[in-house]
Amino acid sequence: FKRFISPQFHGAFRKALRRTIKGEKITNLEMELVNKNGNISAEINTSPIIWNDRTIGAFVTVRDVTERKKTQEELNRQKTYFQALFESSPEAIASLDKNHHVIDVNRSFIKLFGYTLDELKGKNIDDFILPPDKEKEGKGGNDSAHNR
Protein backbone atom coordinates (compact mmCIF):
# COMPACT_ATOMS: atom_id res chain seq x y z
CA PHE A 1 0.00 0.00 0.00
CA LYS A 2 2.96 2.28 0.71
CA ARG A 3 3.74 2.68 -3.01
CA PHE A 4 0.37 4.41 -3.50
CA ILE A 5 1.10 7.04 -0.88
CA SER A 6 2.95 10.17 -1.91
CA PRO A 7 6.36 10.21 -0.15
CA GLN A 8 5.62 13.33 1.90
CA PHE A 9 2.67 11.48 3.51
CA HIS A 10 4.47 8.22 4.43
CA GLY A 11 5.02 9.35 8.04
CA ALA A 12 1.42 10.49 8.54
CA PHE A 13 0.10 7.22 7.15
CA ARG A 14 2.41 5.13 9.36
CA LYS A 15 1.30 7.13 12.40
CA ALA A 16 -2.37 6.59 11.51
CA LEU A 17 -1.83 2.86 11.13
CA ARG A 18 -0.02 2.66 14.49
CA ARG A 19 -2.91 4.47 16.17
CA THR A 20 -5.37 2.15 14.45
CA ILE A 21 -3.49 -0.96 15.57
CA LYS A 22 -3.72 0.42 19.13
CA GLY A 23 -7.52 0.41 18.69
CA GLU A 24 -8.19 3.97 17.52
CA LYS A 25 -10.46 4.78 14.60
CA ILE A 26 -9.10 7.46 12.22
CA THR A 27 -11.49 9.50 10.07
CA ASN A 28 -11.06 12.02 7.28
CA LEU A 29 -7.26 11.92 7.08
CA GLU A 30 -6.39 13.82 3.91
CA MET A 31 -3.29 12.98 1.91
CA GLU A 32 -1.98 12.69 -1.62
CA LEU A 33 -1.95 9.28 -3.26
CA VAL A 34 -0.22 8.20 -6.44
CA ASN A 35 -2.07 6.42 -9.23
CA LYS A 36 -0.87 5.57 -12.74
CA ASN A 37 -1.96 9.00 -14.01
CA GLY A 38 -0.33 11.06 -11.28
CA ASN A 39 -1.36 12.31 -7.83
CA ILE A 40 -4.87 12.42 -6.41
CA SER A 41 -6.22 13.96 -3.23
CA ALA A 42 -7.67 11.29 -0.97
CA GLU A 43 -9.50 10.99 2.29
CA ILE A 44 -8.51 7.94 4.33
CA ASN A 45 -10.47 6.29 7.14
CA THR A 46 -9.15 3.43 9.24
CA SER A 47 -10.77 1.08 11.74
CA PRO A 48 -9.10 -1.60 13.81
CA ILE A 49 -10.07 -5.21 13.21
CA ILE A 50 -10.52 -6.69 16.67
CA TRP A 51 -10.83 -10.39 17.45
CA ASN A 52 -10.78 -11.87 20.95
CA ASP A 53 -9.99 -8.45 22.43
CA ARG A 54 -6.91 -8.09 20.24
CA THR A 55 -6.33 -5.91 17.22
CA ILE A 56 -5.39 -8.27 14.41
CA GLY A 57 -5.39 -5.81 11.53
CA ALA A 58 -6.87 -2.65 10.12
CA PHE A 59 -9.64 -1.89 7.69
CA VAL A 60 -8.68 1.07 5.47
CA THR A 61 -11.02 2.93 3.13
CA VAL A 62 -9.89 5.48 0.59
CA ARG A 63 -12.06 8.10 -1.10
CA ASP A 64 -10.90 10.22 -4.04
CA VAL A 65 -11.62 13.85 -3.08
CA THR A 66 -9.68 15.48 -5.91
CA GLU A 67 -12.74 17.07 -7.53
CA ARG A 68 -14.17 18.18 -4.20
CA LYS A 69 -10.86 19.89 -3.34
CA LYS A 70 -10.67 21.56 -6.77
CA THR A 71 -14.25 22.79 -6.36
CA GLN A 72 -13.51 24.13 -2.87
CA GLU A 73 -10.38 25.90 -4.10
CA GLU A 74 -12.38 27.51 -6.93
CA LEU A 75 -15.10 28.61 -4.50
CA ASN A 76 -12.47 30.13 -2.22
CA ARG A 77 -10.90 31.94 -5.17
CA GLN A 78 -14.28 33.33 -6.24
CA LYS A 79 -15.16 34.35 -2.69
CA THR A 80 -11.88 36.25 -2.39
CA TYR A 81 -12.48 37.93 -5.76
CA PHE A 82 -16.04 39.01 -4.95
CA GLN A 83 -15.07 40.14 -1.45
CA ALA A 84 -12.40 42.36 -3.02
CA LEU A 85 -14.96 43.79 -5.45
CA PHE A 86 -17.43 44.36 -2.61
CA GLU A 87 -14.85 46.11 -0.44
CA SER A 88 -13.29 48.26 -3.16
CA SER A 89 -16.48 49.34 -4.94
CA PRO A 90 -17.08 53.09 -5.00
CA GLU A 91 -20.81 52.27 -4.76
CA ALA A 92 -22.46 51.80 -1.36
CA ILE A 93 -23.32 48.10 -1.03
CA ALA A 94 -25.19 46.31 1.73
CA SER A 95 -25.57 42.54 1.91
CA LEU A 96 -28.95 41.59 3.40
CA ASP A 97 -30.76 38.42 4.41
CA LYS A 98 -34.27 37.63 3.15
CA ASN A 99 -35.79 39.80 5.92
CA HIS A 100 -33.70 42.84 4.97
CA HIS A 101 -31.40 42.40 7.98
CA VAL A 102 -27.86 43.59 7.40
CA ILE A 103 -25.19 40.92 6.99
CA ASP A 104 -22.39 43.17 5.75
CA VAL A 105 -21.75 46.64 4.31
CA ASN A 106 -18.79 47.99 2.40
CA ARG A 107 -16.65 51.05 3.16
CA SER A 108 -18.56 53.19 0.66
CA PHE A 109 -21.81 52.40 2.47
CA ILE A 110 -20.27 53.38 5.81
CA LYS A 111 -18.94 56.61 4.30
CA LEU A 112 -22.27 57.51 2.66
CA PHE A 113 -24.62 56.68 5.52
CA GLY A 114 -22.32 57.13 8.53
CA TYR A 115 -23.21 53.84 10.24
CA THR A 116 -20.65 51.19 11.11
CA LEU A 117 -21.23 47.50 10.46
CA ASP A 118 -21.48 46.92 14.22
CA GLU A 119 -24.35 49.42 14.40
CA LEU A 120 -26.22 47.79 11.50
CA LYS A 121 -25.46 44.08 11.62
CA GLY A 122 -28.60 41.99 12.19
CA LYS A 123 -30.89 45.02 12.01
CA ASN A 124 -33.42 45.90 9.33
CA ILE A 125 -31.79 48.20 6.78
CA ASP A 126 -35.01 50.18 6.28
CA ASP A 127 -34.87 51.37 9.89
CA PHE A 128 -31.63 53.21 9.15
CA ILE A 129 -31.54 54.56 5.61
CA LEU A 130 -35.13 55.61 4.86
CA PRO A 131 -36.32 59.06 5.87
CA PRO A 132 -39.37 58.81 8.20
CA ASP A 133 -41.74 60.15 5.52
CA LYS A 134 -40.60 57.42 3.04
CA GLU A 135 -40.51 54.39 5.39
CA LYS A 136 -43.87 52.93 4.36
CA GLU A 137 -43.13 53.40 0.66
CA GLY A 138 -39.61 52.02 0.96
CA LYS A 139 -40.54 48.95 2.98
CA GLY A 140 -43.28 48.06 0.51
CA GLY A 141 -40.87 48.51 -2.38
CA ASN A 142 -38.36 46.14 -0.86
CA ASP A 143 -41.03 43.48 -0.34
CA SER A 144 -42.16 43.64 -3.96
CA ALA A 145 -38.58 43.64 -5.27
CA HIS A 146 -37.67 40.72 -3.02
CA ASN A 147 -40.66 38.64 -4.16
CA ARG A 148 -39.92 38.92 -7.89
Side-chain angles (χ1 to χ4, degrees):
F1 197 80
K2 183 178 175 182
R3 70 184 176 119
F4 296 112
I5 299 171
S6 222
Q8 70 264 32
F9 291 98
H10 284 179
F13 186 71
R14 273 194 307 275
K15 183 178 177 183
L17 279 182
R18 278 195 302 272
R19 289 171 51 199
T20 303
I21 295 301
K22 290 179 181 176
E24 189 176 342
K25 184 177 181 179
I26 308 293
T27 58
N28 305 325
L29 177 63
E30 287 193 21
M31 60 179 55
E32 295 291 314
L33 299 181
V34 180
N35 68 14
K36 68 179 183 177
N37 298 318
N39 286 359
I40 62 167
S41 294
E43 185 178 271
I44 296 182
N45 298 290
T46 68
S47 294
I49 299 171
I50 300 173
W51 188 64
N52 289 336
D53 295 327
R54 285 186 44 227
T55 302
I56 61 169
F59 183 71
V60 179
T61 60
V62 178
R63 180 185 356 212
D64 183 350
V65 294
T66 305
E67 288 305 313
R68 181 181 78 192
K69 286 191 75 146
K70 285 180 185 176
T71 300
Q72 186 61 49
E73 288 168 3
E74 178 61 18
L75 285 172
N76 289 342
R77 187 191 67 74
Q78 288 180 15
K79 181 180 177 185
T80 300
Y81 174 75
F82 286 111
Q83 186 67 31
L85 286 176
F86 177 82
E87 287 299 327
S88 64
S89 175
E91 301 295 325
I93 302 172
S95 175
L96 310 173
D97 68 13
K98 66 181 181 176
N99 297 315
H100 310 146
H101 295 144
V102 175
I103 297 169
D104 199 3
V105 294
N106 69 353
R107 286 187 291 268
S108 295
F109 186 98
I110 293 167
K111 185 177 178 183
L112 180 65
F113 291 102
Y115 294 105
T116 66
L117 178 59
D118 288 338
E119 292 173 297
L120 295 170
K121 195 166 193 165
K123 297 182 175 115
N124 191 302
I125 191 78
D126 298 332
D127 295 339
F128 290 86
I129 64 170
L130 292 175
D133 62 324
K134 299 289 184 182
E135 276 186 30
K136 186 174 182 182
E137 180 183 333
K139 286 183 180 183
N142 278 343
D143 288 340
S144 63
H146 181 70
N147 292 327
R148 286 184 195 178

